[in-house]
């Protein structure tokens, strides 16, 4: 195997390890906050979405059926993590927002991790940082495209 192919394979494996570590981090965050992993994922989707999410869209992103998403949202509203409100662009539509309380809890719980990642990033030279950023943006775009494509596919039974 050529050195270029070997390096590419190592990068691919490193991305897989990063994704696994992300899932492990979500589990650790859920334990620290005393909530379910799905709750952490739901808040993350609501906070990071470019467009306001309603319960159905949130369920789609989490791979849940509508009824399960409604139960999740009801539970999170009752716990004070999410709130329902009118869509600013279409008042007939209900959208979800993370509460200030939820944002504060997550921010506090993640502070040590965020600080460590910032320290690691701070060690990069500008040209290295640009290369890493371009790579991560391309991987992110590819993963999002994969996710969007899968939303129209039937659910597999296994």
């Amino acid at each position: 195997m050529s050195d270029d192919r070997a390096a590419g394979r190592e990068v691919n494996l490193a991305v897989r390890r990063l994704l696994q570590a992300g899932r492990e981090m979500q589990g650790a965050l859920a334990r620290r906050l005393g909530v379910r992993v799905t709750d952490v994922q739901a808040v993350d989707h609501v906070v990071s979405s470019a467009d306001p999410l309603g319960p159905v869209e949130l369920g789609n992103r989490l791979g849940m059926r509508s009824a399960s998403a409604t139960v999740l949202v009801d539970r999170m509203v009752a716990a004070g993590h999410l709130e329902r409100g009118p869509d600013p662009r279409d008042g007939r539509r209900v959208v979800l927002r993370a509460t200030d309380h939820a944002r504060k809890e997550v921010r506090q719980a993640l502070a040590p991790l965020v600080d460590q990642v910032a320290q690691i990033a701070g060690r990069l030279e500008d040209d290295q940082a640009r290369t890493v950023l371009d790579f991560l943006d391309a991987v992110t775009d590819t993963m999002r495209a994969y996710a969007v494509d899968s939303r129209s596919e039937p659910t597999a039974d296994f």
Side-chain angles (χ1 to χ4, degrees):
M1 184 182 299
S2 74
D3 287 345
D4 288 344
R5 287 184 56 198
R9 180 170 164 73
E10 287 302 314
V11 169
N12 190 21
L13 291 172
V15 169
R16 290 178 63 190
R17 289 190 301 270
L18 177 65
L19 294 172
Q20 180 63 42
R23 289 187 293 274
E24 292 168 6
M25 183 273 309
Q26 285 182 338
L29 178 60
R31 284 189 299 278
R32 281 181 171 89
L33 297 174
V35 299
R36 300 173 186 182
V37 172
T38 309
D39 297 357
V40 167
Q41 293 169 338
V43 170
D44 186 44
H45 279 292
V46 169
V47 169
S48 64
S49 178
D51 297 313
L53 293 180
V56 172
E57 293 94 352
L58 178 61
N60 288 340
R61 290 191 183 191
L62 293 171
M64 297 180 157
R65 300 205 185 277
S66 180
S68 297
T70 299
V71 170
L72 168 72
V73 170
D74 288 346
R75 185 180 73 246
M76 294 190 67
V77 167
H81 300 300
L82 292 179
E83 56 190 14
R84 291 180 175 97
D87 185 328
R89 294 177 287 187
D90 179 356
R92 299 167 295 171
R93 183 173 175 258
V94 172
V95 295
L96 303 169
R97 292 178 189 80
T99 63
D100 290 340
H101 170 75
R103 289 174 186 269
K104 181 180 176 185
E105 276 190 326
V106 170
R107 214 175 6 258
Q108 286 176 339
L110 287 177
L113 174 64
V114 171
D115 291 345
Q116 288 178 339
V117 171
Q119 288 175 13
I120 294 166
R123 294 193 304 248
L124 296 172
E125 299 293 330
D126 285 347
D127 61 327
Q128 293 173 314
R130 277 191 283 282
T131 300
V132 170
L133 184 59
D134 289 346
F135 171 77
L136 291 174
D137 284 345
V139 170
T140 299
D141 291 346
T142 300
M143 292 173 70
R144 286 207 167 119
Y146 179 84
V148 168
D149 288 347
S150 73
R151 290 182 191 145
S152 62
E153 296 175 3
T155 303
D157 293 325
F158 62 94

